[in-house]
Each structure stands twice: as structure tokens, then as C-alpha cells.
Amino acid sequence: ANENRWDDIKAELAKIAHPETNPAFGYYIAVTTGKIAEAISFLRAGGSEAGLAEAKMLEADLHLRSTHTNDARRLWTEVVAMTNAGERALALASVNLNDVAAMRKAYARTVSVPLKRMVGLRLGRALVDVPESRAEGSRLIRAIVSDSPDAEGACDAFVSMAIAELSEGKWKETLKTVSEAMEIWPDAAKRADVQACRGEALFKTGRFEDSRLAYRRAEEFAQDDAMR
């Protein structure tokens, strides 16, 4: 495997298992050898009603590898519409679709704490993007961050609130949210988007020298990111 000799691996494994009678084995071999269409065929052949949602999620991932985004979205939509989809499949499908209604459904049904946080943060960001639901989104993000500031995506979601406030011309609120973000996550001060957001809000409030320094930091951090 370290030498990428997938055909040799397939030949050796074929001695002890047969893709014709073992779809799971055939799926694994097809995936590891990059035969996406073949992998999808094995996946469909080995699917069961109990694991249908998970199988659809796997198939969607395979379509993404082939850049067939529309096919992946179709499968995610099917998973969201299922009444017996597991919470993991439902959560991931709703987030991948970035659909507010689907994420609301997943957030209400999810019991797993990490999954619920993930869906909640993504739902919060989607709500914040729309002026009419911005307050609801901010409350949701703040509640999750207050409980779990180290949750994956928490800082991004919090910063999205500042960017939304900036778009509404709420300069003081923007600066307050940015300051909160940098207090909770000190490394946020090293983000180009945070400094750019801060720079514009400072400029709009007449703090021109502070704005110039923030914009300079934003440019420096953007260059550092580009070099990584």
C-alpha cells in the first residue's frame, strides 16, 4: 500500500475474497484503486435498508471525488428527506447542503454532543448571513461558544457575526465582537479576515491610525497564509 501497488493488493486479496459475492470487499478495492464508478456499483449492491442513509452518504462522497457535485447534493437531499436516517447521516447531509430547514431538523434530532455543536454552529452561521434571522443566529452561536469555545468551527462562527455586523454598518458592535473573539481565541488576532474587518470598522469610527495598522496586519497575515 505504501508503494501504491493497488493492483497487486487486489490480486492478493482476491485469493481470499470475491467481489462478486462480497460487495464490501469490492467497494474497498474499487475505492483504493480509484475506480469510482465501480465503487458506486458495489456500494449499491451491498446496501441494506438499515444502512441506506450511510450508504447514500458514502456514495455522495464518491461523487464528490469525481467532481459530480449535483449528484452528491441529490443524495444529501434524499438523506434529509428520509424518516429513518441516523443522526450522523442527517447531520452531515444537512450541513453539506447548508440548508437552514434541514439543519434545524438535524439540530433538533441530534443527541451526540459533538454533532449537535457542529450542526448548531453551521446553522448559526447560515442564520447570521440573513438580516431577518441574524439575531437568532448570533444567540445560537454565542450559546454554543459559551459552553464549548474549543468546539471545531466555533471561532469561524463567532467571526461571522462580526462580518455580518460590519455589513449592516454596525461599526461599534463589530469592534466589540472582534474584541470578544480575540479575547476568547488569542490566535484570532492573527487572522487576515479578523484584522480586515477590524480595520474597516476602525476607519468608519474615525480611528484612522488604528485602522491603518489593522489593515497592515491583515495584509501581512494574508501573505503568510498564501505562503503556507
Side-chain angles (χ1 to χ4, degrees):
N2 291 332
E3 297 176 3
N4 293 320
R5 293 167 57 187
W6 302 114
D7 287 335
D8 291 341
I9 292 174
K10 182 175 182 179
E12 289 300 315
L13 289 175
K15 297 175 182 178
I16 56 174
H18 302 282
E20 299 80 7
T21 58
N22 189 339
F25 164 74
Y27 165 79
Y28 172 75
I29 292 300
V31 168
T32 56
T33 54
K35 297 176 181 178
I36 303 304
E38 188 176 326
I40 291 174
S41 296
F42 281 119
L43 186 61
R44 291 174 177 172
S48 64
E49 187 64 28
L52 184 58
E54 290 292 345
K56 285 180 181 290
M57 294 301 292
L58 286 173
E59 184 176 341
D61 182 62
L62 292 173
H63 283 303
L64 283 181
R65 296 190 189 195
S66 301
T67 66
H68 297 160
T69 307
N70 289 338
D71 289 325
R73 292 187 63 83
R74 171 180 55 78
L75 288 162
W76 294 331
T77 302
E78 290 176 6
V79 170
V80 168
M82 295 174 66
T83 58
N84 61 343
E87 67 173 30
R88 178 181 177 278
L90 176 60
L92 294 177
S94 68
V95 165
N96 289 343
L97 287 169
N98 197 37
D99 180 89
V100 169
M103 287 189 286
R104 285 188 189 279
K105 175 182 176 181
Y107 188 69
R109 281 185 47 185
T110 301
V111 176
S112 165
V113 174
L115 273 178
K116 196 173 186 73
R117 288 172 186 158
M118 182 268 291
V119 176
L121 290 171
R122 288 294 297 270
L123 173 58
R125 292 186 67 172
L127 293 170
V128 161
D129 284 342
V130 180
E132 291 76 15
S133 58
R134 189 158 291 157
E136 179 189 0
S138 295
R139 287 194 297 271
L140 179 56
I141 291 170
R142 286 183 176 279
I144 295 173
V145 167
S146 176
D147 180 63
S148 307
D150 294 330
E152 185 176 355
C155 182
D156 288 338
F158 205 91
V159 170
S160 74
M161 296 193 305
I163 294 172
E165 289 166 344
L166 186 71
S167 71
E168 284 190 293
K170 297 180 177 179
W171 320 126
K172 292 181 180 179
E173 290 87 344
T174 300
L175 290 173
K176 182 176 182 297
T177 302
V178 167
S179 294
E180 287 182 85
M182 293 191 296
E183 182 177 347
I184 299 171
W185 305 278
D187 282 348
K190 299 177 183 179
R191 290 178 49 155
D193 57 345
V194 168
Q195 290 296 343
C197 181
R198 182 168 171 268
E200 184 171 349
L202 287 167
F203 183 85
K204 295 294 186 180
T205 54
R207 297 168 60 182
F208 303 119
E209 181 59 23
D210 289 338
S211 173
R212 186 182 65 81
L213 293 174
Y215 275 129
R216 177 184 294 176
R217 292 192 186 101
E219 184 177 355
E220 291 172 353
F221 295 143
Q223 290 176 348
D224 290 343
D225 291 341
M227 294 175 63
R228 290 174 185 168

